Amino acid sequence: AKKIKPSSQKPSSKSTAALPPLQEEVNVFGFASIVNLTTNHTSPCIQSLKSVCLKHCPPRHKTEMETVLSGKTKRPAGFFFQER
């Protein structure tokens, strides 16, 4: 059987001290959410996000981006947020 050397790092407050270094983060949690622009177009937060997107949008795509962010397209659009 292969012996695993204990890590030279101090163990964290988690009870993972006995695990090999690469297996410390076994459970990874995250979230994902989509905010619909059509139903949330009056929200101050959504208005701010639209402004930032348009401010940083390349000029050749600005017209298309304005259309998508208007919330008045046949197909709904939204902001996708995710974090891990």
Side-chain angles (χ1 to χ4, degrees):
K2 183 178 178 182
K3 290 186 178 182
I4 299 172
K5 287 184 176 182
S7 175
S8 62
Q9 298 175 347
K10 292 182 181 179
S12 65
S13 61
K14 299 177 189 176
S15 61
T16 59
L19 294 175
L22 296 177
Q23 292 182 1
E24 287 185 25
E25 294 290 330
V26 175
N27 295 320
V28 177
F29 298 97
F31 83 93
S33 184
I34 297 175
V35 179
N36 186 313
L37 289 174
T38 304
T39 57
N40 296 292
H41 68 279
T42 59
S43 166
C45 180
I46 297 300
Q47 293 295 327
S48 295
L49 285 169
K50 286 181 184 182
S51 294
V52 170
C53 288
L54 290 170
K55 179 181 175 183
H56 294 283
C57 183
R60 67 179 186 269
H61 297 296
K62 197 163 218 129
T63 303
E64 183 179 6
M65 183 64 80
E66 287 172 341
T67 302
V68 170
L69 295 177
S70 73
K72 299 175 183 174
T73 57
K74 290 182 182 179
R75 295 178 62 181
F79 285 110
F80 176 71
F81 300 97
Q82 66 92 30
E83 182 62 41
R84 187 185 130 165

mmCIF file of all heavy atoms in Angstrom, residues 36-38 41 50 66-77:
data_model
loop_
_atom_site.group_PDB
_atom_site.id
_atom_site.type_symbol
_atom_site.label_atom_id
_atom_site.label_comp_id
_atom_site.label_asym_id
_atom_site.label_seq_id
_atom_site.Cartn_x
_atom_site.Cartn_y
_atom_site.Cartn_z
ATOM 1 N N ASN A 36 -34.658 37.560 -15.766
ATOM 2 C CA ASN A 36 -35.345 37.891 -17.008
ATOM 3 C C ASN A 36 -35.405 39.406 -17.186
ATOM 4 O O ASN A 36 -35.847 40.131 -16.287
ATOM 5 C CB ASN A 36 -36.754 37.298 -16.969
ATOM 6 C CG ASN A 36 -37.495 37.459 -18.264
ATOM 7 O OD1 ASN A 36 -37.518 38.531 -18.845
ATOM 8 N ND2 ASN A 36 -38.116 36.394 -18.703
ATOM 9 N N LEU A 37 -34.968 39.899 -18.341
ATOM 10 C CA LEU A 37 -34.975 41.345 -18.602
ATOM 11 C C LEU A 37 -36.379 41.890 -18.864
ATOM 12 O O LEU A 37 -36.661 43.043 -18.547
ATOM 13 C CB LEU A 37 -34.080 41.675 -19.795
ATOM 14 C CG LEU A 37 -32.582 41.540 -19.545
ATOM 15 C CD1 LEU A 37 -31.820 41.749 -20.833
ATOM 16 C CD2 LEU A 37 -32.133 42.516 -18.492
ATOM 17 N N THR A 38 -37.236 41.068 -19.417
ATOM 18 C CA THR A 38 -38.587 41.536 -19.721
ATOM 19 C C THR A 38 -39.367 41.836 -18.449
ATOM 20 O O THR A 38 -40.003 42.883 -18.330
ATOM 21 C CB THR A 38 -39.346 40.490 -20.561
ATOM 22 O OG1 THR A 38 -38.576 40.210 -21.725
ATOM 23 C CG2 THR A 38 -40.720 40.989 -20.982
ATOM 24 N N HIS A 41 -37.222 44.726 -16.037
ATOM 25 C CA HIS A 41 -36.591 45.876 -16.702
ATOM 26 C C HIS A 41 -36.654 47.175 -15.901
ATOM 27 O O HIS A 41 -35.863 48.078 -16.134
ATOM 28 C CB HIS A 41 -37.186 46.089 -18.096
ATOM 29 C CG HIS A 41 -38.608 46.545 -18.094
ATOM 30 N ND1 HIS A 41 -39.652 45.674 -17.932
ATOM 31 C CD2 HIS A 41 -39.142 47.774 -18.213
ATOM 32 C CE1 HIS A 41 -40.787 46.358 -17.959
ATOM 33 N NE2 HIS A 41 -40.502 47.630 -18.128
ATOM 34 N N LYS A 50 -27.439 46.999 -17.295
ATOM 35 C CA LYS A 50 -27.583 47.343 -18.717
ATOM 36 C C LYS A 50 -26.632 48.469 -19.096
ATOM 37 O O LYS A 50 -25.965 48.410 -20.133
ATOM 38 C CB LYS A 50 -29.023 47.779 -19.022
ATOM 39 C CG LYS A 50 -30.027 46.679 -19.055
ATOM 40 C CD LYS A 50 -31.363 47.320 -19.406
ATOM 41 C CE LYS A 50 -32.519 46.421 -19.408
ATOM 42 N NZ LYS A 50 -33.764 47.099 -19.793
ATOM 43 N N GLU A 66 -28.185 46.891 -27.608
ATOM 44 C CA GLU A 66 -29.314 47.711 -27.161
ATOM 45 C C GLU A 66 -30.635 47.001 -27.423
ATOM 46 O O GLU A 66 -31.548 47.037 -26.596
ATOM 47 C CB GLU A 66 -29.287 49.078 -27.847
ATOM 48 C CG GLU A 66 -28.200 49.985 -27.331
ATOM 49 C CD GLU A 66 -28.042 51.263 -28.143
ATOM 50 O OE1 GLU A 66 -28.503 51.319 -29.310
ATOM 51 O OE2 GLU A 66 -27.437 52.206 -27.607
ATOM 52 N N THR A 67 -30.750 46.345 -28.577
ATOM 53 C CA THR A 67 -31.967 45.606 -28.915
ATOM 54 C C THR A 67 -32.177 44.445 -27.939
ATOM 55 O O THR A 67 -33.273 44.262 -27.407
ATOM 56 C CB THR A 67 -31.900 45.069 -30.363
ATOM 57 O OG1 THR A 67 -31.717 46.174 -31.238
ATOM 58 C CG2 THR A 67 -33.152 44.313 -30.727
ATOM 59 N N VAL A 68 -31.130 43.677 -27.704
ATOM 60 C CA VAL A 68 -31.241 42.523 -26.797
ATOM 61 C C VAL A 68 -31.584 42.978 -25.384
ATOM 62 O O VAL A 68 -32.450 42.391 -24.721
ATOM 63 C CB VAL A 68 -29.930 41.697 -26.803
ATOM 64 C CG1 VAL A 68 -29.938 40.658 -25.703
ATOM 65 C CG2 VAL A 68 -29.726 41.035 -28.152
ATOM 66 N N LEU A 69 -30.933 44.019 -24.902
ATOM 67 C CA LEU A 69 -31.157 44.490 -23.536
ATOM 68 C C LEU A 69 -32.447 45.293 -23.372
ATOM 69 O O LEU A 69 -32.831 45.602 -22.247
ATOM 70 C CB LEU A 69 -29.964 45.330 -23.062
ATOM 71 C CG LEU A 69 -28.639 44.582 -22.916
ATOM 72 C CD1 LEU A 69 -27.535 45.554 -22.500
ATOM 73 C CD2 LEU A 69 -28.755 43.443 -21.937
ATOM 74 N N SER A 70 -33.125 45.598 -24.468
ATOM 75 C CA SER A 70 -34.365 46.373 -24.381
ATOM 76 C C SER A 70 -35.493 45.585 -23.736
ATOM 77 O O SER A 70 -36.428 46.150 -23.187
ATOM 78 C CB SER A 70 -34.800 46.843 -25.773
ATOM 79 O OG SER A 70 -35.314 45.732 -26.514
ATOM 80 N N GLY A 71 -35.430 44.254 -23.825
ATOM 81 C CA GLY A 71 -36.501 43.427 -23.281
ATOM 82 C C GLY A 71 -37.713 43.379 -24.186
ATOM 83 O O GLY A 71 -38.766 42.884 -23.799
ATOM 84 N N LYS A 72 -37.589 43.891 -25.401
ATOM 85 C CA LYS A 72 -38.722 43.958 -26.332
ATOM 86 C C LYS A 72 -38.496 43.064 -27.552
ATOM 87 O O LYS A 72 -39.007 43.345 -28.622
ATOM 88 C CB LYS A 72 -38.945 45.398 -26.770
ATOM 89 C CG LYS A 72 -39.276 46.314 -25.616
ATOM 90 C CD LYS A 72 -39.371 47.754 -26.055
ATOM 91 C CE LYS A 72 -39.627 48.632 -24.847
ATOM 92 N NZ LYS A 72 -39.599 50.043 -25.168
ATOM 93 N N THR A 73 -37.740 41.998 -27.382
ATOM 94 C CA THR A 73 -37.480 41.086 -28.487
ATOM 95 C C THR A 73 -38.486 39.933 -28.442
ATOM 96 O O THR A 73 -39.159 39.718 -27.435
ATOM 97 C CB THR A 73 -36.049 40.520 -28.392
ATOM 98 O OG1 THR A 73 -35.897 39.873 -27.129
ATOM 99 C CG2 THR A 73 -35.013 41.610 -28.536
ATOM 100 N N LYS A 74 -38.604 39.205 -29.555
ATOM 101 C CA LYS A 74 -39.526 38.064 -29.602
ATOM 102 C C LYS A 74 -39.112 36.979 -28.617
ATOM 103 O O LYS A 74 -39.959 36.319 -28.027
ATOM 104 C CB LYS A 74 -39.590 37.484 -31.015
ATOM 105 C CG LYS A 74 -40.278 38.390 -32.002
ATOM 106 C CD LYS A 74 -40.345 37.738 -33.364
ATOM 107 C CE LYS A 74 -41.008 38.686 -34.353
ATOM 108 N NZ LYS A 74 -41.066 38.102 -35.690
ATOM 109 N N ARG A 75 -37.816 36.795 -28.478
ATOM 110 C CA ARG A 75 -37.314 35.794 -27.539
ATOM 111 C C ARG A 75 -36.777 36.509 -26.303
ATOM 112 O O ARG A 75 -36.066 37.504 -26.413
ATOM 113 C CB ARG A 75 -36.206 34.982 -28.191
ATOM 114 C CG ARG A 75 -36.730 34.171 -29.367
ATOM 115 C CD ARG A 75 -35.668 33.407 -30.054
ATOM 116 N NE ARG A 75 -35.082 32.438 -29.121
ATOM 117 C CZ ARG A 75 -34.098 31.626 -29.433
ATOM 118 N NH1 ARG A 75 -33.562 31.675 -30.628
ATOM 119 N NH2 ARG A 75 -33.625 30.781 -28.561
ATOM 120 N N PRO A 76 -37.129 36.021 -25.116
ATOM 121 C CA PRO A 76 -36.675 36.700 -23.892
ATOM 122 C C PRO A 76 -35.159 36.627 -23.719
ATOM 123 O O PRO A 76 -34.514 35.695 -24.170
ATOM 124 C CB PRO A 76 -37.386 35.949 -22.769
ATOM 125 C CG PRO A 76 -37.809 34.656 -23.345
ATOM 126 C CD PRO A 76 -37.941 34.847 -24.824
ATOM 127 N N ALA A 77 -34.633 37.638 -23.069
ATOM 128 C CA ALA A 77 -33.201 37.682 -22.761
ATOM 129 C C ALA A 77 -33.057 37.906 -21.262
ATOM 130 O O ALA A 77 -33.999 38.350 -20.590
ATOM 131 C CB ALA A 77 -32.532 38.811 -23.530
#
